[in-house]
Every structure is written in C-alpha cells, then in structure tokens.
Amino acid sequence: MTKEQSTAEMRYRLSKYVLQVLLDAELITTEEAIQTKAALLAKYDPFTRCLEEVDSWQNEL
C-alpha cells in the first residue's frame, strides 16, 4: 500500500465513522448515509473498496 492509498483509506474510514455517528444521532437518514458513502468511495477510492462494495454489505455503513 502506498502512502497515498494509506491516506485515502484513513480519510475514507474517518468519514464513514462520522456518517455512522450522524446516522446514530438521527441527524441524517439511512438513504442519505448510503448515498454519501457511495460518494466517499468515489472520492477517496480506498484500498479496501472492493470489500466495501459487496452487495450483502450494502445495508451496513
């Protein structure tokens, strides 16, 4: 993993954590969280992207 990939992974995971906090606090809807997660995947293209896009995990953040 390169430094750039590591940085992208870290930023993606931190952003995903913030999404979960907002969702748990009911400040955003599940639909908004899923849409935002997709946008974060596109923006950061994390090293573990293929794991994040597995169909059975789509309901999880």
Side-chain angles (χ1 to χ4, degrees):
M1 180 183 300
T2 67
K3 182 178 180 179
E4 291 80 19
Q5 288 172 319
S6 177
T7 299
E9 184 74 29
M10 179 182 63
R11 288 180 177 168
Y12 170 73
R13 291 199 176 272
L14 180 58
S15 299
K16 190 173 141 180
Y17 172 75
V18 170
L19 271 180
Q20 187 64 56
V21 169
L22 292 172
L23 186 61
D24 291 346
E26 299 181 359
L27 296 172
I28 61 173
T29 65
T30 301
E31 172 122 357
E32 290 171 319
I34 291 170
Q35 289 174 351
T36 304
K37 180 184 170 189
L40 290 170
L41 281 170
K43 179 177 181 174
Y44 292 118
D45 192 24
F47 188 73
T48 58
R49 182 180 189 145
C50 61
L51 297 174
E52 295 287 335
E53 293 178 330
V54 173
D55 286 340
S56 63
W57 294 358
Q58 289 297 315
N59 294 328
E60 296 180 17
L61 292 177

